[in-house]
């Protein structure tokens, strides 16, 4: 039996990258193990690639690897006459061919996993140097490589809930993930959730997931869904254990004394709520979900504190509890710390 | 006619202290003008006092002024046999006598204003070095001196709203502050709000303010009020203009080239909502409020973007709009930045 967690424990497990202001030394120490990922002509750091990945792969023409400054720069030759959109296409093409070539490199299991997990869906990477102005889409990156490059990704999460017609009690629809899923198999989850691919806005994303994963009617969702906030956190994935399905020998490209470090995964989740009437029930619509439970607050809370939720869905439940007055300033001593850490400025 | 603002403009006006991570040089430059306020035996910085205040006042025995490290340390002689509570009493007593003496010092208008604004209410100052553990209350400080010492203060804010029985439209109760108030006279405000004094928990605070300021029945409030979050921001008050009611001559204690700087005011606001039925109306209950308006979202939004709200009540409206799906990820390009800056980790 696992020791029950606190809400703050769960938030810290998700937002587990050190804070620069709180512990600058630890923050720097963490970043020493990574190369900054940049695009030529832009100063901002768009992601972080572990050092051992840089060492284990020969980046082709069009990339600059600056070992002095620990920077990996995407710098294909770009004609000045190209439009922003054409430039983005060139960068995207170079990224794609590089990743394809990486996925055929048997020197590390991470590269082989790229091939296995390739989804043919891309995440956009934006320049954010000009706050307030419209963001520039610099390129797109294959979804399964986003963690390898440590880029900021976005997703949507939908909490579906209802009010018990007899007791007036708040009830929440909780999904059980399929036991066959590659990630977080069998764990508890939001009613619907997913990554935000290139070209999709959050509302369209959440409508699609709700229809596909929870079999809810598109009209029901569009009419009732409400955008209620955004969560953001900086997660470090633990170094990947050897995948049981991968038996290839691995020369891991590490130098003596170099530690394997996790992938960085800063993320923004757009949060939606859907109040369903008591006759509407989500049902598994694809192979992602095993089933749905309609639980009261106490049942959800108990499962949450036992660690049964997928991590970034656990913090969605915590945020829902804050918004609905379940976790309050009076009953939770870490209230302010929890609320602030759910909204890390990335 | 003032230029309409954006939501992000308003958030930035409130959370206007530079971010260390974003602009370390600017952050340091700002802090150079202040002495850190500490309590002997505790490492954490509890507040910030402008340099010119330190120069203009001779701190009595029991204080250490470290000009080298720019620290002002409250260090009364404390016997080891004293309990935490007795130690807090001694510190509080020294702080009070110091502030009384400061308020009788005619060298700066800030000191004279202390006397004029003295409220005989105190704010608690906690040690937060042990997150997760119960906080230690180190001392209390007269409320009107909290800005002078730049300590973290807490307050409560209540948004009262209703649903139009005919149109089903969301309507919000907005208060107009009395034209005679010392601060933000005549501006728009939440239905009820106030500072959290020593010994008061947020819920009791919001109930008291709702009863006193909005004449709502205590039972109505206790039954319907819901804790829905917390906002936190780091505000720098602009340097105080000469107060028209103060005619005393001021030798301002500044050195050549030293600029007057504002007081630092980090603050946490506990956020409450109260859904009223359409027959219940808030009414002015004390001299704080001139009247209440029941406005639709568009009216509130227009007044907000014209800058007619008290600043920290303006961000409460923005947070309400986020929670209620008025400001969304789809209709607001600065959505994530707004949501994160409303929850600054202090």
């Amino acid at each position: 039996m696992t020791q029950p967690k606190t809400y703050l424990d769960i938030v810290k497990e998700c937002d587990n990258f050190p804070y620069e202001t709180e512990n600058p030394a630890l923050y720097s120490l963490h970043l020493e193990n990574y190369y900054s990922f940049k695009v030529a002509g832009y100063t901002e750091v768009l992601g972080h690639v572990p050092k051992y990945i840089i060492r284990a792969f020969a980046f082709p023409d069009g990339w600059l690897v600056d070992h002095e400054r620990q920077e990996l720069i995407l710098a294909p030759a770009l004609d000045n006459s190209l439009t922003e959109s054409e430039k983005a296409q060139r960068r995207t093409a170079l990224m794609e061919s590089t990743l394809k070539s990486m996925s055929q490199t048997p020197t590390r299991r991470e590269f082989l996993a790229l091939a296995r997990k390739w989804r043919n869906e891309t995440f956009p990477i934006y320049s954010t140097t000009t706050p307030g102005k419209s963001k520039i889409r610099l390129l797109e990156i294959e979804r399964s490589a986003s963690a390898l490059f440590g880029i900021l990704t976005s997703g949507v999460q939908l909490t579906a809930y209802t009010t018990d017609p007899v007791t007036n009690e708040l009830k929440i629809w909780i999904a059980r993930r399929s036991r066959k899923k590659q990630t977080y198999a069998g764990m508890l989850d939001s009613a619907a959730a997913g990554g935000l691919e290139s070209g999709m806005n959050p509302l369209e994303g959440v409508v699609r997931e709700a229809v596909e994963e929870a079999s809810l009617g598109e009209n029901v969702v569009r009419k009732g869904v409400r955008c209620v906030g955004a969560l953001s956190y900086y997660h470090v994935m633990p170094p990947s254990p050897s995948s049981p399905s991968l038996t290839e020998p691995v020369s891991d490209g590490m130098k003596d004394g170099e530690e394997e470090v996790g992938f960085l995964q800063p993320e923004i989740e757009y949060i939606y709520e859907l109040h369903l009437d008591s006759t509407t029930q989500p049902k598994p619509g694809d192979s992602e979900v095993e089933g749905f439970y309609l639980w009261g607050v106490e049942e959800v809370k108990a499962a949450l504190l036992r660690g049964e939720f997928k991590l970034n869905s656990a913090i969605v439940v915590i945020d829902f509890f804050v918004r609905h007055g379940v976790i309050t300033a009076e009953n939770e001593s870490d209230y302010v710390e929890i609320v602030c850490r759910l909204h890390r400025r990335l």
Side-chain angles (χ1 to χ4, degrees), chain A:
Chain A
M1 178 89 193
T2 328
Q3 179 77 7
K5 304 171 190 230
T6 66
Y7 293 124
L8 185 57
D9 288 340
I10 295 170
V11 173
K12 283 181 173 174
E13 268 178 60
C14 191
D15 180 40
N16 64 347
F17 194 77
Y19 278 75
E20 185 176 359
T21 44
E22 196 171 286
N23 196 335
L26 184 65
Y27 180 85
S28 301
L29 194 67
H30 263 70
L31 285 185
E32 266 173 28
N33 298 313
Y34 300 85
Y35 275 45
S36 300
F37 167 52
K38 294 183 169 183
V39 160
Y42 292 84
T43 55
E44 68 218 277
V45 176
L46 302 166
H48 289 97
V49 183
K51 245 186 218 178
Y52 66 79
I53 297 290
I54 304 281
R55 290 226 176 84
F57 181 74
F59 282 84
D61 280 357
W63 290 86
L64 300 174
V65 185
D66 184 337
H67 294 293
E68 185 83 18
R69 304 172 74 165
Q70 297 204 175
E71 289 182 351
L72 171 68
I73 302 164
L74 181 71
L78 290 175
D79 199 300
N80 268 337
S81 66
L82 296 176
T83 64
E84 284 302 334
S85 163
E86 287 164 338
K87 288 181 185 172
Q89 278 173 28
R90 302 285 174 97
R91 296 188 196 105
T92 300
L94 176 57
M95 177 60 94
E96 191 186 342
S97 66
T98 303
L99 291 174
K100 285 277 184 201
S101 144
M102 199 181 255
S103 74
Q104 287 149 22
T105 304
T107 51
R108 281 200 67 90
R109 58 176 178 271
E110 287 85 350
F111 300 160
L112 301 167
L114 251 191
R116 193 165 43 89
K117 295 186 180 167
W118 197 276
R119 296 173 73 146
N120 277 320
E121 292 170 7
T122 59
F123 281 148
I125 299 181
Y126 295 101
S127 161
T128 54
T129 35
T130 46
K133 306 237 172 97
S134 23
K135 297 180 291 187
I136 296 172
R137 193 170 49 82
L138 295 174
L139 75 153
E140 290 170 24
I141 183 172
E142 157 61 27
R143 182 171 172 160
S144 60
S146 62
L148 202 65
F149 277 75
I151 61 155
L152 174 67
T153 56
S154 300
V156 291
Q157 292 255 6
L158 175 70
T159 305
Y161 64 108
T162 186
T163 314
D164 187 288
V166 181
T167 63
N168 218 23
E169 194 198 347
L170 179 68
K171 298 269 193 176
I172 306 165
W173 285 104
I174 301 296
R176 169 83 67 192
R177 292 166 72 85
S178 161
R179 318 261 167 183
K180 289 174 193 143
K181 282 210 72 150
Q182 277 187 351
T183 55
Y184 304 98
M187 296 190 83
L188 300 175
D189 208 341
S190 302
L196 260 193
E197 293 159 40
S198 300
M200 181 160 283
N201 82 20
L203 179 63
E204 294 311 311
V206 82
V207 169
R208 191 180 79 169
E209 300 291 351
V211 170
E212 286 181 10
E213 295 185 354
S215 314
L216 291 166
E218 184 172 334
N219 286 343
V220 172
V221 179
R222 286 199 188 274
K223 195 165 168 219
V225 77
R226 188 159 90 168
C227 179
V228 291
L231 303 184
S232 57
Y233 54 87
Y234 206 144
H235 186 62
V236 193
M237 276 192 276
S240 57
S242 286
S243 168
S245 67
L246 263 180
T247 51
E248 287 85 348
V250 167
S251 115
D252 69 2
M254 292 207 187
K255 290 200 172 167
D256 279 351
E258 185 172 55
E259 265 190 81
E260 184 148 359
V261 292
F263 293 147
L264 302 192
Q265 201 174 25
E267 187 151 45
I268 291 165
E269 296 278 351
Y270 294 94
I271 306 301
Y272 292 80
E273 278 185 7
L274 176 60
H275 187 267
L276 293 174
D277 64 44
S278 59
T279 61
T280 307
Q281 301 195 1
K283 288 179 204 67
D286 55 20
S287 58
E288 310 265 307
V289 177
E290 181 182 293
F292 287 95
Y293 313 124
L294 185 60
W295 281 353
V297 163
E298 288 307 317
E299 275 170 295
V300 176
K301 181 177 164 180
L304 181 70
L305 298 181
R306 282 194 305 264
E308 295 180 11
F309 275 82
K310 174 171 180 267
L311 202 49
N312 67 356
S313 306
I315 64 165
V316 171
V317 175
I318 292 173
D319 180 56
F320 184 87
F321 279 180
V322 167
R323 205 165 45 251
H324 288 263
V326 175
I327 300 176
T328 68
E330 287 74 37
N331 67 22
E332 173 54 57
S333 61
D334 298 316
Y335 191 71
V336 173
E337 174 74 355
I338 288 169
V339 172
C340 290
R341 284 190 77 148
L342 290 175
H343 302 96
R344 182 166 184 164
R345 203 155 164 262
L346 297 170

